[in-house]
Amino acid sequence: MLKEKLFFRSDDDTDFMPIIPINENDSEQDKNLVIPDTLPILPLRNTVLFPGVVLPITVGRDKSIKAVNDAYKLDKLIGVLAQKDANIEEPEPKDLCNIGTVAKIVKLIKMPDGGTTIIIQGKKRFEMQEMISDDPYFKASISLFADDEIPVSEDFNAYISSIKDLAAQIIQLSPNLPTEASIILKNIENPSFLINFVSSNLNSELTEKQSLLEINDIHQRAERLIFILQRELQFAELKDKVTNKTRTEIDKQQRDYFLQQQLKSIKDELGGDSNEREITDMKKKAEAKKWPEAAKALFKNGVAKLERMHPTTPDYSVVYNHLDLMLDLPWLDYTADNYDLKNAKKVLDADHYGMGKIKTRILEYLAVLKLKGDMKSPILCFLGPPGIGKTSLGRSIAHAIGRKYVRVSLGGLHDESEIRGHRKTYIGAMPGRIVQNIRKCKSSNPVMILDEIDKIGSDFRGDPSSALLEVLDPEQNHTFYDNYLELEYDLSKVLFIATANNLQNIQPALRDRLEIIDLSGYAVEEKVEIAKRHLLPKQKEAHGLNKVNFKINDKVLEKIIEQHTRESGVRELDRQLASIMRYQAKELATKNKVKSTVTSADVEKILGQSRYSNEIYKTANMPGVAVGLAWTYVGGDILFIETILGDGKGDLKLTGNLGNVMKESATTALSYLQANAKKLGVDPEDFAKKNIHIHVPEGAVPKDGPSAGITMLTSLTSAFTGRKVKPFLAMTGEITLRGQVLPVGGIKEKILAAKRAGLKEIILCWQNEKDINEIDGNFIKGLQFHYVKTMQQVVDLALV
């Protein structure tokens, strides 16, 4: 803001306030005033005394008080000289101006605080000849200037009139000066006093006032005063113009700004502004922060911008939040990895039963880190059915290697800004979830679980899986760019672990970046161990039964698993065990005791009759019914293929909510059977006389895939030949028109499903033998496998 300049002194300036004497013609009386050649000297700061002008002065220096007291006791006359530099507390003779004014002390007032206030009136100008003494106060010999002779000329009268007019205009343009001041000025008749009075009230530098006092010729003094007044008038007009223009344009925001400035001044008086303290705290944090040079430079620019902003402006919070995020991010802060491989294996084994492939992969990663000291983290993807512990395994890995753990749920995500962040200029903008979780865990090398990566949405609102391409590429993620952060962040040390149920739902480019580790479902034996080691202790604690001793033996657990659950994981088993614990808790609360062992009868009482039974596979099936093995995203399952023949024209009908691939398998099986009818013992003429209906039960469940090919052909052959399919036999494999059997996937899940269902024999493609060899022999005990290459072998094995 422009420094306010006024013609007259405002009421705030209370050090010196000129007073108009009652009688301006005192100069007539002053002619008889006897002024000695030697006078005590009173140095004045910040002002110049002119003849005729009355000033109240507060005297504070000891020397000045003594000089005033001595002068008041004698003739009340004292020499007043202005200091050249107002900042000097104890002036010396060289610090005083040579020309000053003889003053008469009109009144001396002793103040209650011990100070002295005097009212003095200027009498005559003088020049200091020599400083006689400076102790106890200044005393100097002086020579007086002659009184001003008033010129009798039109020019001088015009000067005096111009001075009055200019002074009146300045008073009118200054809103803080009373209008009565212009009336007083018009009534001053003595030209010499008018010049002195106006000069005394100029809001000019002290040197300019002193120069006016030093001009001997009154004509020249008037001319110089007019020049100064014209300059002051121009400034007053300009200020008035700016003020009026601003007043018309000012709006609420500007008004608030001025009020906030005043509030800031008040806060400063009360001990500083909180915003300044916040910025100072930020700077202190930044000094101790370990971060890249680019981040340091961006932070400095942001702080500089914040200091120039007012806290009420909308952008202030945007910049502040951005800087706060930069300070919260760990940048170059890493947790130390625990390279003790034996301990890591022990932790992994304690937390999860089985899963040897994943545990081996993690130990390999740790081994390389231990030897090399630094490597890009792999991007792992745990693929498997729900409830087998994919997510909890991530937490276990973090615990084993001594890293922080964070989980990002990607299920249903449809906005790429959730990954990469919003531009910070938007209202409600936030960094992406990756950066948010890094900020939360305070480490730049956590284990980050990207949960349900196969369930990311993709529509008109965005494609987050495409944004993940940068995050999950070890060659790119060391310069991951978040739109909110507006800076590259190194994610190369983060161990990303994605989890998925269905690989087909992950887009190919993203799938290519993932190291897929298949997690198959659990066998009954594995579920028994998991229940004993993890589920039972957890449910006991959850139901307040920690200190109650009762047992559930392996046979009972097997009954629960086989007759009350049918899943790849253990979630349903966990719920069934929770039901048993609730029953036990009720028994304890009502009877104060529980049975020491939970028996099969107790299970039936608590959980009810068996929900699943293997009896269906033991009944003698009619010809045309075969058992197939299927893979679903929740694990393996068994399905029936039913074929029935009726009189007709050889039409083929398919029902059971089948997909295109499965329909094509049925067509292929029929074509092969027609081409090889005699070889398989079928009358070729039957195909023209019989309508064929193939149905797959559970019609509400969609089914698709090529793996039911050999089951379809077996069912068709059984129906046409009248030969039954062996009981307790299942099969899986794709067929060709040439009669070959091709391998299929999901073998472990399918085999475990067959084992759960109580089947005894399984027919597979010979190329799937390697998949069987990977399964723990204990889990497939009691199963007999038949490996085939052609359909003829399948028919020979399957039909009685």
Side-chain angles (χ1 to χ4, degrees):
M1 292 175 63
L2 292 170
K3 183 181 177 182
E4 189 173 13
K5 299 183 97 179
L6 303 171
F7 172 61
F8 283 103
R9 292 181 172 275
S10 66
D11 292 341
D12 294 336
D13 204 348
T14 54
D15 287 336
F16 310 101
M17 188 171 65
I19 301 174
I20 298 175
I22 295 171
N23 183 8
E24 63 179 84
N25 295 317
D26 281 350
S27 56
E28 295 296 327
Q29 301 171 8
D30 292 345
K31 289 180 181 177
N32 303 322
L33 185 66
V34 178
I35 298 174
D37 295 337
T38 303
L39 281 177
I41 299 298
L42 175 65
L44 283 189
R45 286 195 291 192
N46 301 321
T47 193
V48 175
L49 179 67
F50 285 83
V53 177
V54 176
L55 278 181
I57 302 289
T58 299
V59 184
R61 300 182 183 124
D62 292 340
K63 282 186 177 182
S64 300
I65 292 172
K66 288 178 183 176
V68 166
N69 287 334
D70 287 357
Y72 192 72
K73 289 174 185 175
L74 294 173
D75 51 9
K76 299 185 180 179
L77 295 177
I78 194 167
V80 177
L81 290 175
Q83 281 184 211
K84 294 176 183 176
D85 185 357
N87 295 321
I88 298 175
E89 286 296 329
E90 297 294 336
E92 297 180 6
K94 62 181 174 52
D95 298 322
L96 302 178
C97 296
N98 283 330
I99 294 176
T101 304
V102 176
K104 184 173 183 180
I105 302 173
V106 179
K107 187 75 173 174
L108 188 146
I109 305 166
K110 298 286 186 181
M111 305 304 289
D113 60 358
T116 301
T117 298
I118 58 172
I119 297 173
I120 57 174
Q121 182 181 15
K123 293 298 181 181
K124 289 189 177 184
R125 295 184 307 121
F126 72 86
E127 182 177 9
M128 180 175 64
Q129 298 297 329
E130 183 185 358
M131 187 65 75
I132 297 173
S133 71
D134 59 0
D135 190 51
Y137 48 80
F138 291 122
K139 206 167 188 181
S141 61
I142 63 168
S143 62
L144 298 173
F145 288 104
D147 291 335
D148 296 327
E149 291 188 11
I150 309 301
V152 182
S153 67
E154 292 296 324
D155 287 352
F156 185 73
N157 291 337
Y159 279 175
I160 296 301
S161 179
S162 294
I163 289 171
K164 287 185 177 182
D165 290 343
L166 288 168
Q169 289 179 55
I170 292 171
I171 290 169
Q172 192 174 359
L173 291 172
S174 301
N176 55 341
L177 290 178
T179 52
E180 292 82 358
S182 59
I183 298 171
I184 295 170
L185 277 174
K186 285 179 182 177
N187 291 324
I188 295 177
E189 296 177 357
N190 188 326
S192 176
F193 175 69
L194 176 70
I195 292 170
N196 289 338
F197 184 72
V198 172
S199 300
S200 179
N201 286 280
L202 283 174
N203 190 27
S204 301
E205 298 292 333
L206 186 137
T207 52
E208 202 159 35
K209 288 186 180 182
Q210 182 67 27
S211 66
L212 281 170
L213 182 68
E214 291 177 1
I215 297 174
N216 289 325
D217 184 24
I218 192 170
H219 196 284
Q220 291 178 7
R221 201 183 309 153
E223 190 176 339
R224 175 64 181 164
L225 180 59
I226 287 173
F227 172 78
I228 295 171
L229 288 174
Q230 284 174 336
R231 188 187 67 200
E232 294 291 319
L233 178 61
Q234 287 176 354
F235 182 82
E237 287 173 342
L238 179 62
K239 182 186 170 195
D240 184 62
K241 180 181 176 183
V242 171
T243 303
N244 289 334
K245 184 179 179 182
T246 306
R247 190 177 293 120
T248 57
E249 293 178 355
I250 196 165
D251 57 13
K252 184 178 182 301
Q253 184 177 344
Q254 289 169 306
R255 177 176 171 275
D256 289 348
Y257 173 77
F258 288 123
L259 291 173
Q260 288 292 344
Q261 287 295 100
Q262 291 180 343
L263 186 62
K264 183 182 176 185
S265 300
I266 294 169
K267 285 180 179 178
D268 288 342
E269 291 295 326
L270 293 173
D273 190 0
S274 61
N275 297 314
E276 290 179 3
R277 289 198 295 272
E278 285 175 351
I279 294 173
T280 305
D281 291 344
M282 275 187 163
K283 288 180 178 177
K284 285 181 182 176
K285 287 182 184 176
E287 287 172 5
K289 194 82 180 164
K290 290 191 295 182
W291 48 9
E293 288 299 320
K296 190 182 293 184
L298 185 65
F299 180 83
K300 283 184 179 178
N301 292 339
V303 167
K305 190 186 295 183
L306 200 66
E307 287 175 328
R308 294 194 298 271
M309 293 173 121
H310 195 270
T312 56
T313 57
D315 283 350
Y316 183 90
S317 61
V318 173
V319 177
Y320 180 86
N321 291 337
H322 183 247
L323 295 177
D324 192 43
L325 169 67
M326 291 186 69
L327 284 174
D328 278 353
L329 284 173
W331 296 103
L332 302 177
D333 292 334
Y334 303 102
T335 53
D337 288 337
N338 180 5
Y339 296 130
D340 187 346
L341 270 63
K342 289 182 180 178
N343 179 66
K345 188 175 188 308
K346 184 179 177 183
V347 171
L348 291 171
D349 287 338
D351 290 346
H352 288 82
Y353 181 78
M355 297 186 177
K357 193 187 294 185
I358 290 182
K359 293 175 181 176
T360 302
R361 181 66 184 86
I362 297 302
L363 293 175
E364 288 171 355
Y365 168 65
L366 270 180
V368 175
L369 267 182
K370 183 177 182 179
L371 296 174
K372 190 170 180 284
D374 180 34
M375 71 172 289
K376 290 176 181 173
S377 295
I379 314 294
L380 305 178
C381 178
F382 297 163
L383 178 68
I388 60 171
K390 298 185 296 297
T391 305
S392 60
L393 185 60
R395 184 185 288 106
S396 178
I397 290 168
H399 181 210
I401 63 178
R403 290 193 184 184
K404 299 285 184 69
Y405 167 83
V406 287
R407 176 179 162 273
V408 182
S409 180
L410 300 178
L413 211 67
H414 58 76
D415 188 357
E416 62 158 277
S417 298
E418 294 282 349
I419 303 296
R420 201 174 270 140
H422 307 79
R423 305 290 300 178
K424 72 172 186 282
T425 50
Y426 296 141
I427 293 173
M430 288 174 17
R433 292 201 188 185
I434 304 294
V435 170
Q436 281 185 48
N437 280 281
I438 293 283
R439 177 188 195 177
K440 184 170 69 175
C441 74
K442 301 291 184 188
S443 169
S444 285
N445 65 335
V447 173
M448 186 173 289
I449 302 296
L450 303 176
D451 216 6
E452 311 292 0
I453 198 170
D454 57 328
K455 297 176 183 62
I456 293 178
S458 178
D459 54 23
F460 66 94
R461 290 171 290 188
D463 183 9
S465 60
S466 298
L468 278 174
L469 295 177
E470 182 186 3
V471 176
L472 299 181
D473 190 342
E475 300 300 323
Q476 296 180 40
N477 64 8
H478 65 283
T479 55
F480 170 68
Y481 187 86
D482 186 275
N483 290 329
Y484 185 89
L485 184 59
E486 293 184 342
L487 204 63
E488 292 176 345
Y489 197 90
D490 184 6
L491 299 177
S492 61
K493 303 292 191 299
V494 179
L495 177 54
F496 287 104
I497 299 177
T499 70
N501 300 131
N502 191 353
L503 199 60
Q504 306 306 316
N505 292 343
I506 305 174
Q507 66 150 298
L510 184 57
R511 192 164 52 211
D512 183 58
R513 285 162 166 76
L514 303 173
E515 183 180 333
I516 309 292
I517 299 179
D518 282 307
L519 286 174
S520 51
Y522 295 118
V524 173
E525 292 80 3
E526 288 179 301
K527 289 184 180 181
V528 169
E529 286 299 321
I530 291 168
K532 285 159 58 178
R533 296 185 187 191
H534 303 288
L535 302 183
L536 280 172
K538 183 183 81 172
Q539 290 299 344
K540 274 189 172 184
E541 185 177 350
H543 292 85
L545 300 171
N546 309 47
K547 299 176 182 177
V548 181
N549 291 322
F550 63 90
K551 294 180 181 179
I552 304 178
N553 61 39
D554 292 2
K555 291 292 182 185
V556 174
L557 286 173
E558 282 182 25
K559 177 182 173 68
I560 297 169
I561 292 164
E562 291 178 349
Q563 297 183 11
H564 294 275
T565 70
R566 186 141 295 177
E567 58 176 348
S568 295
V570 291
R571 283 201 180 120
E572 184 62 27
L573 174 60
D574 196 31
R575 284 190 282 269
Q576 299 300 338
L577 292 176
S579 298
I580 293 172
M581 294 303 151
R582 287 196 297 273
Y583 178 84
Q584 294 290 77
K586 186 189 74 171
E587 289 291 299
L588 184 65
T590 55
K591 301 177 181 177
N592 291 324
K593 63 177 182 177
V594 293
K595 291 171 67 175
S596 60
T597 305
V598 177
T599 63
S600 297
D602 295 327
V603 169
E604 203 162 299
K605 181 181 175 184
I606 298 166
L607 301 181
Q609 294 294 321
S610 301
R611 294 171 58 189
Y612 305 100
S613 173
N614 296 334
E615 295 299 317
I616 187 172
Y617 311 111
K618 297 176 183 177
T619 57
N621 283 322
M622 58 184 282
V625 179
V627 179
L629 297 175
W631 181 91
T632 68
Y633 80 95
V634 294
D637 202 357
I638 59 104
L639 53 84
F640 287 95
I641 308 289
E642 301 176 347
T643 303
I644 194 167
L645 304 178
D647 293 336
K649 299 177 182 179
D651 295 334
L652 174 64
K653 185 188 289 186
L654 300 169
T655 57
N657 203 351
L658 309 183
N660 289 333
V661 177
M662 205 164 181
K663 288 177 181 178
E664 290 168 1
S665 293
T667 307
T668 304
L670 182 58
S671 297
Y672 175 80
L673 184 59
Q674 288 171 338
N676 298 275
K678 289 184 179 179
K679 192 187 298 184
L680 296 170
V682 179
D683 184 356
E685 293 182 3
D686 288 346
F687 294 111
K689 298 176 185 176
K690 301 288 185 182
N691 284 340
I692 307 161
H693 186 171
I694 299 177
H695 177 66
V696 182
E698 297 186 34
V701 180
K703 309 166 190 73
D704 203 1
S707 63
I710 65 171
T711 319
M712 294 268 194
L713 183 56
T714 303
S715 177
L716 281 167
T717 307
S718 173
F720 274 100
T721 60
R723 297 164 64 188
K724 293 180 181 178
V725 179
K726 275 186 187 178
F728 302 105
L729 173 71
M731 59 194 77
T732 182
E734 184 179 353
I735 59 168
T736 70
L737 285 173
R738 293 173 293 160
Q740 290 185 321
V741 180
L742 301 181
V744 290
I747 292 298
K748 184 179 180 184
E749 284 81 1
K750 292 176 180 178
I751 299 305
L752 293 177
K755 184 79 167 22
R756 284 197 299 269
L759 298 171
K760 306 295 185 187
E761 296 179 68
I762 297 171
I763 298 175
L764 297 164
C765 173
W766 64 277
Q767 292 179 342
N768 284 126
E769 188 175 358
K770 64 181 186 302
D771 299 308
I772 301 297
N773 294 333
E774 289 181 2
I775 305 173
D776 190 329
N778 293 321
F779 303 155
I780 54 177
K781 197 181 292 182
L783 285 177
Q784 183 179 355
F785 297 97
H786 304 284
Y787 303 108
V788 296
K789 292 185 178 180
T790 64
M791 268 312 304
Q792 186 64 51
Q793 292 175 285
V794 174
V795 172
D796 293 342
L797 286 166
L799 300 183
V800 178

